Amino acid sequence: FRMYVGVKAIVTWYVAMTDPRSLMHLVASTRDGAVLIWLLMVVGAAALLDAVVNDFLPDRFHWRIGRRQRHYILAALAFCYIAQLYVEFFNLRSGGLLAYYLWNAATIMFIAFIDANQRNKDAQCSTVCN
């Protein structure tokens, strides 16, 4: 999932930067929208890096901060989508982007909650079971 949302954030940035006919481009053409779309790309790259390094590479390769702070990376992605919704509302008032940004933010926060909860259970189990 982290790999999916990371790539999706990077693709969203790419569409917003390169397709002048898209609604995301109109949002990104504002000052606040441009800052948020670049932040979305950076955080999406961090989510993708975390997924690749911590999940797919051998155990000798690891990104400890990414693993420990994974829920913050996901929350930052959700923030970028919600904040873009704020910018979009004042500039476009598009129902399509409203649904897209809300769905992305809600799904990411749901998975962040599940991930943090599961890692907490794993940490408690490793402390008690060892």
Side-chain angles (χ1 to χ4, degrees):
F1 179 78
R2 287 174 286 112
M3 193 165 179
Y4 169 76
V5 295
V7 170
K8 187 174 185 175
I10 293 169
V11 168
T12 300
W13 168 82
Y14 179 76
V15 169
M17 291 291 119
T18 61
D19 187 4
R21 298 168 299 179
S22 73
L23 291 174
M24 287 181 254
H25 179 77
L26 295 175
V27 173
S29 65
T30 65
R31 185 177 59 88
D32 295 334
V35 169
L36 289 170
I37 200 72
W38 278 97
L39 183 62
L40 179 71
M41 189 270 301
V42 169
V43 176
L48 181 61
L49 180 68
D50 172 37
V52 169
V53 171
N54 290 325
D55 295 341
F56 292 113
L57 292 180
D59 288 338
R60 65 179 181 210
F61 300 105
H62 54 275
W63 184 30
R64 289 183 186 159
I65 294 173
R67 182 178 290 164
R68 277 194 323 259
Q69 307 301 331
R70 187 173 286 164
H71 55 286
Y72 289 125
I73 293 171
L74 292 174
L77 276 174
F79 166 77
C80 289
Y81 282 117
I82 290 295
Q84 286 181 38
L85 181 63
Y86 178 76
V87 172
E88 179 270 333
F89 177 76
F90 284 108
N91 293 311
L92 301 175
R93 299 185 199 273
S94 168
L97 278 181
L98 172 74
Y100 177 76
Y101 287 149
L102 280 177
W103 177 254
N104 283 331
T107 305
I108 291 168
M109 286 309 298
F110 178 70
I111 296 300
F113 174 76
I114 289 173
D115 180 64
N117 191 19
Q118 185 61 42
R119 284 188 295 120
N120 184 31
K121 286 181 183 177
D122 292 344
Q124 288 176 353
C125 180
S126 67
T127 303
V128 172
C129 297
N130 288 333

